[in-house]
Amino acid sequence: MSSAQDPFYVVREEIQDSIDKLQHSFHRWEQTASNTGEYVHLTKELLTNCESIEWQVDELEKTITVASRDPAYYGLDEVELSRRRNWTVSARNQVGTVRRAVEKGKSNSAISKHQDLTGASRNNYYSTQDNDDFISSESDRQQLLMRQQDDELDELSESVQRIGNVGLTIHDELNSQERILNDLSFEMETTSNRLDFVQKKVAMVMKKAGIKGQILLIVFLVVLFIILFVLVFLT
C-alpha cells in the first residue's frame, strides 16, 4: 500500500497540520503582552489544542501497537514501524514543549495580574471612573473572545470527527483484508485437495496400464495436444 493510500499517513498529515497551526498560535502568544485579553484567549486556545493533539497522537500510537503484533499481516516491517514510532515521539515532544511554556506563562501572568490588582486597589479612590470604563471594555472583550472560542471549539469538534471517521476506515480496511486472506486460504486449500486427487488418479491409471500402456497413453496425449493446437491456432 502506498503512503498516499495508507490510513496512517492520512491521519499523520492531519495531525501535522494541527501542530503547524499550534506553532503559529504559539509564536503569536509569545509576542502578545500578558496583560491583554488576547493573551488570555490565546492561552486557553493553545492548552485546548495541545490536549486535542495529544489525544490524536495517543490514538495513532494504538494503531502502531496493533500493527507491531503482526507486521507482515499489515504489509509492514520493523523499519517502517520504527519510523512511525519516531514520528509520534517527535510530535508529542513538540506539543509538550508548547504546553509547558504556555502553562508557565499562564502561572506568571496570574501572579503578575494579582500584584497589579493589589497595587491598583490602593489607588481605587482616585480612579473609580477609569475602573468603570475598564470593566465595561473588558466585558465587551470577554464576550467577543467567548464567541471566537465557540467557533474554534466547533472547528475542533469537526477535526475530531474526521479523525474518528479515519479510524473507522482503518478498521473496515483491516476487516476487508482479513476476509480476502481467508477466502484465498480456502481456495488454495480446495485447489490443493483437487490436485492431490488428480495425482492419485493418474498414478493409479499409470500403475494399472504398465509400461506399454504408459507409452500408449503418452502417445495419445501428444496426439491430442497436436490436434488441439491445430484447432486453436491454425483454424
Side-chain angles (χ1 to χ4, degrees), residues 3-235:
S3 298
Q5 297 173 337
D6 194 326
F8 171 84
Y9 287 100
V10 175
V11 177
R12 192 185 78 169
E13 183 177 353
E14 288 207 10
I15 295 177
Q16 187 60 56
D17 288 342
S18 298
I19 293 176
D20 294 341
K21 293 179 181 178
L22 179 73
Q23 294 285 2
H24 178 72
S25 298
F26 178 64
H27 292 323
R28 284 178 52 203
W29 178 85
E30 289 181 312
Q31 299 170 1
T32 303
S34 60
N35 59 345
T36 62
E38 183 181 4
Y39 182 89
V40 175
H41 167 67
L42 287 174
T43 299
K44 293 179 180 179
E45 176 185 337
L46 286 169
L47 292 177
T48 300
N49 290 342
C50 284
E51 183 177 354
S52 174
I53 295 173
E54 287 173 346
W55 175 83
Q56 296 174 31
V57 173
D58 287 341
E59 294 300 312
L60 199 59
E61 285 181 337
K62 291 178 182 179
T63 65
I64 297 175
T65 300
V66 172
S68 65
R69 297 171 185 169
D70 189 3
Y73 179 81
Y74 300 102
L76 304 174
D77 54 26
E78 289 300 328
V79 175
E80 176 63 20
L81 288 173
S82 178
R83 185 182 299 113
R84 297 185 180 194
R85 293 192 187 99
N86 290 340
W87 185 87
T88 57
V89 171
S90 175
R92 190 179 295 281
N93 288 339
Q94 293 179 65
V95 177
T97 299
V98 173
R99 176 190 281 275
R100 288 190 293 271
V102 173
E103 289 178 343
K104 182 178 180 181
K106 180 181 179 181
S107 177
N108 293 339
S109 177
I111 295 174
S112 176
K113 185 177 293 185
H114 176 71
Q115 293 174 347
D116 292 342
L117 290 175
T118 302
S121 64
R122 299 191 186 102
N123 301 317
N124 185 59
Y125 176 78
Y126 303 98
S127 58
T128 302
Q129 184 62 42
D130 291 340
N131 284 341
D132 291 341
D133 294 340
F134 171 78
I135 291 173
S136 177
S137 175
E138 188 68 18
S139 176
D140 294 339
R141 183 179 302 172
Q142 289 295 332
Q143 291 180 1
L144 176 61
L145 290 176
M146 288 178 64
R147 287 196 297 270
Q148 293 176 347
Q149 187 174 16
D150 289 339
D151 294 339
E152 291 170 356
L153 287 175
D154 291 339
E155 182 179 349
L156 177 61
S157 176
E158 293 177 358
S159 176
V160 171
Q161 185 175 3
R162 287 197 301 270
I163 295 295
N165 291 335
V166 172
L168 292 176
T169 302
I170 294 174
H171 178 72
D172 294 340
E173 179 67 21
L174 293 178
N175 288 337
S176 177
Q177 292 183 5
E178 182 178 4
R179 288 194 297 270
I180 292 173
L181 290 174
N182 290 336
D183 293 341
L184 179 61
S185 176
F186 176 78
E187 291 178 2
M188 290 180 63
E189 183 178 356
T190 302
T191 302
S192 177
N193 292 335
R194 291 176 179 175
L195 182 59
D196 290 341
F197 176 80
V198 172
Q199 288 176 342
K200 290 178 181 180
K201 287 294 184 181
V202 171
M204 291 175 61
V205 172
M206 297 293 286
K207 184 176 180 180
K208 291 180 180 181
I211 297 176
K212 184 177 180 179
Q214 293 176 11
I215 294 173
L216 291 175
L217 180 59
I218 293 173
V219 172
F220 172 75
L221 292 175
V222 171
V223 173
L224 180 61
F225 173 76
I226 294 172
I227 293 173
L228 292 175
F229 180 83
V230 171
L231 291 175
V232 173
F233 294 99
L234 301 180
T235 59

